[in-house]
Amino acid sequence: MAGAAEEAAWRPRHSPWLVAFTVTLATFMEVLDTAIANVALPHIAGGLSASQDEATWVLTSYLVSNAVVLPISAWISSRVGRKRFYMTCVTLFTLSSFLCGFAPTMSALVFFRVLQGVGGGGLAPSEQAILADTFPPAQRGMAFAMYGLAVVFAPAIGPTLGGYIVDHASWRWIFYINVPVGIASLFLSSLMVEDPPWLRDEKERSRRVRVDWLGLGLVAVAFGSLQVVMDKGQEDDWFSSPFIVVFAMATVIGLLGTLVWEWAHPNPIVNIRLFRNRNFAVSVGLMFTLGGVLYGTTVLLPLFLQTLMGYSAQSAGEVLSPGGFVTMATMPLAGFLVSRVPAKYLIAAAFTGMSLALFHMSSINLGIDVHTATLYRVYQALALAFLFIPINTVSYIGVPREQNNQVSGLMNLARNIGGSVGIAFVSTALARRSQEFQSRLVEHATQSNPVFQERLAQLTHAFSSAGPAQATRRALGVLYATIQRQAAVLSYARIIEDLAIVCALFVPLILLLLKRNDPRAAPAGAH
């Protein structure tokens, strides 16, 4: 067993920054792959002679297995050793990426994506925990800045890179490109990554404890089912679908069972008791919200440009890329400030900035150009670094370092589930609010409305060469299409306003609930 003096004196054998680069490489690969796969779905469906609905299981299967592994990654790390678990995840993700590219049928691809999701689910939590243990508390902000580059920058450039690959090569290359990166990551990890003494002690202790099989099953059912509901809900019209109802019931039962069982269990799979730490509980809520806003708007803006303004997938992705570079540039500044300014003030200021950026974006309309659309994303990106790094940093305050794996697993789970909820909200609200606004606009398309009658007469005259009856029919068709487009624009603007209001509401809650911390102080529990 490691003594207290050995634990206190422990430092990684290699430069912490080399360790940070090593573990960030694999996480960047995993997050980038997820973003790229979204763009390639139509090409995958065509290449494997499958329907679009069948192709969506390429995403769902990955997300479900990923959601199951995220919350249990800390337990597995403690039981088998974090370095071994991390390298196993890199190996599985790399091998399954090659198999995905080689898949001859849609069924085979979905199966290999499940394996890929299992491997990918352990990468981000392991990396975050490795950084928390490798760097002293005063330097964690800068370490999480590098980690933030992976999980924030990768989704920004993913659509652009994915669009380029599928436009100029086979969709299979979106998976093949992971192989050399994975091999390099595996080699570097074997050299650079090591488990600190207290984790080796935790590993020995965990091996003497019986496995909480019921807790493991409840966690798998809860988060796997939740991911299915979020990913397939809008597609299947939510609770009008028996399929969604069954998985929603499984989610509720699984979550309630997990809360009750894991809270009382002496050696839980997921340490729910961490939520007694107010800073950690608030941090999880903030990360959930950040995930929802980030992923929701990442879907929203390209969707607007593609469906209403005729942009290609690659062109729409290019609108997001400058925002990614802005986030990349501000990450070091956020890392520097988080070690000097109490995190609650940085987070409150950043949520205020995000809210203002979204209120500005709510002026979106069909007359915007590429420059304006790009600035919408850039303004949001200015706040991202000052949210992501302080939230992650403050989540470890007051938590014993033996629980760092649990903290990183739950924080990454919160971000991913928040992202799924954000995307589901955007998809559902767009469909329903477009219908609502369309009904309101149609009420004004009457003979008593002089503006409508004037426009109808102009269009009928423009189509007069087709004959009176056909000209009127075409004119009405153009007007109806215009109403549909305007209803869609209004629904986009309203959804963005809703997200802005959510961000604004969190500002006073952050100032009231989040404890003020001394940025230079070691967290409680570090010994």
Side-chain angles (χ1 to χ4, degrees):
M1 298 287 288
E6 180 189 354
E7 291 186 3
W10 181 84
R11 294 291 183 272
R13 288 176 297 159
H14 302 282
S15 165
W17 294 108
L18 290 177
V19 176
F21 171 79
T22 296
V23 294
T24 299
L25 192 62
T27 301
F28 182 82
M29 170 184 68
E30 186 264 336
V31 178
L32 183 64
D33 182 83
T34 304
I36 289 176
N38 290 324
V39 177
L41 276 188
H43 298 265
I44 293 173
L48 296 177
S49 301
S51 68
Q52 190 66 31
D53 287 346
E54 290 173 328
T56 59
W57 280 102
V58 172
L59 300 180
T60 303
S61 58
Y62 180 90
L63 293 173
V64 169
S65 60
N66 197 272
V68 170
V69 173
L70 272 172
I72 67 174
S73 60
W75 173 77
I76 300 175
S77 293
S78 297
R79 199 162 184 90
V80 304
R82 188 170 62 201
K83 178 177 179 177
R84 180 181 296 177
F85 173 64
Y86 178 73
M87 292 182 65
T88 300
C89 289
V90 174
T91 301
L92 181 57
F93 187 87
T94 305
L95 178 60
S96 55
S97 293
F98 173 77
L99 294 174
C100 285
F102 187 72
T105 65
M106 181 59 71
S107 298
L109 178 57
V110 169
F111 175 72
F112 295 142
R113 283 283 284 174
V114 171
L115 297 180
Q116 194 184 35
V118 171
L123 293 178
S126 297
E127 178 196 347
Q128 191 171 331
I130 289 168
L131 293 177
D133 283 334
T134 301
F135 287 82
Q139 294 182 3
R140 281 181 184 165
M142 291 301 294
F144 287 142
M146 183 173 286
Y147 169 70
L149 293 178
V151 298
V152 176
F153 182 58
I157 66 169
T160 305
L161 181 59
Y164 181 83
I165 290 173
V166 297
D167 285 346
H168 297 87
S170 168
W171 62 265
R172 297 181 184 275
W173 281 98
I174 68 172
F175 299 112
Y176 288 146
I177 60 173
N178 293 331
V179 176
V181 179
I183 292 173
S185 174
L186 195 62
F187 173 74
L188 291 173
S189 298
S190 67
L191 297 177
M192 299 289 176
V193 178
E194 56 187 307
D195 289 342
W198 55 89
L199 275 188
R200 295 196 292 270
D201 291 348
E202 183 68 14
K203 175 182 172 182
E204 293 301 317
R205 188 197 68 80
S206 297
R207 286 183 169 179
R208 295 193 297 268
V209 176
R210 293 180 60 184
V211 177
D212 176 19
W213 292 110
L214 179 57
L216 187 61
L218 287 170
V219 169
V221 169
F223 293 104
S225 299
L226 176 61
Q227 192 62 63
V228 171
V229 172
M230 290 296 104
D231 201 52
K232 290 291 185 180
Q234 171 58 22
E235 182 182 315
D236 293 348
D237 198 19
W238 294 101
F239 297 112
S240 63
S241 165
F243 174 81
I244 295 298
V245 170
V246 168
F247 276 93
M249 291 175 61
T251 300
V252 173
I253 294 170
L255 287 174
L256 290 176
T258 297
L259 289 173
V260 173
W261 180 260
E262 296 294 272
W263 185 276
H265 199 281
N267 298 288
I269 299 293
V270 178
N271 190 0
I272 304 296
R273 291 188 290 273
L274 283 175
F275 284 89
R276 290 183 297 191
N277 180 315
R278 192 168 81 188
N279 261 23
F280 174 74
V282 174
S283 297
V284 169
L286 295 175
M287 186 57 73
F288 177 90
T289 305
L290 175 58
V293 173
L294 173 61
Y295 286 90
T297 53
T298 299
V299 168
L300 204 62
L301 187 55
L303 194 61
F304 179 90
L305 297 174
Q306 288 177 258
T307 58
L308 296 180
M309 300 190 67
Y311 283 44
S312 67
Q314 182 175 344
S315 298
E318 288 171 354
V319 170
L320 298 181
S321 297
F325 287 108
V326 168
T327 301
M328 189 176 184
T330 53
M331 281 285 181
L333 176 60
F336 173 80
L337 289 177
V338 81
S339 63
R340 288 161 175 80
V341 179
K344 65 186 297 181
Y345 299 128
L346 290 176
I347 297 169
F351 263 114
T352 301
M354 178 68 76
S355 179
L356 293 174
L358 289 170
F359 273 121
H360 175 66
M361 185 180 173
S362 67
S363 64
I364 195 168
N365 59 75
L366 295 175
I368 64 170
D369 56 14
V370 174
H371 177 70
T372 303
T374 301
L375 286 179
Y376 284 152
R377 187 61 173 183
V378 166
Y379 294 148
Q380 293 176 55
L382 287 170
L384 279 178
F386 299 95
L387 286 171
F388 187 84
I389 295 173
I391 292 173
N392 271 304
T393 303
V394 80
S395 66
Y396 290 89
I397 295 173
V399 178
R401 59 189 175 189
E402 293 82 3
Q403 297 296 319
N404 281 353
N405 288 342
Q406 288 280 353
V407 172
S408 60
L410 289 170
M411 289 296 288
N412 279 276
L413 177 69
R415 189 190 73 247
N416 279 24
I417 296 297
S420 296
V421 171
I423 293 171
F425 165 73
V426 164
S427 302
T428 304
L430 273 178
R432 300 192 176 182
R433 288 183 178 172
S434 292
Q435 294 174 349
E436 177 187 341
F437 282 118
Q438 184 177 319
S439 298
R440 293 184 187 180
L441 292 175
V442 166
E443 292 175 0
H444 299 281
T446 63
Q447 293 183 350
S448 60
N449 187 331
V451 176
F452 173 76
Q453 288 300 318
E454 180 182 355
R455 183 59 177 156
L456 178 61
Q458 291 173 347
L459 289 170
T460 302
H461 178 72
F463 295 125
S464 59
S465 60
Q470 189 67 19
T472 302
R473 190 177 296 111
R474 289 185 181 181
L476 289 171
V478 170
L479 287 173
Y480 181 62
T482 301
I483 288 173
Q484 285 183 309
R485 283 163 59 84
Q486 292 299 329
V489 172
L490 290 171
S491 64
Y492 276 97
R494 181 61 59 83
I495 291 167
I496 295 168
E497 283 181 3
D498 290 343
L499 295 175
I501 291 170
V502 168
C503 290
L505 290 175
F506 264 87
V507 174
L509 294 176
I510 293 163
L511 295 174
L512 289 173
L513 296 179
L514 205 60
K515 293 180 180 179
R516 177 170 176 165
N517 63 291
D518 180 355
R520 292 183 173 83
H527 53 269

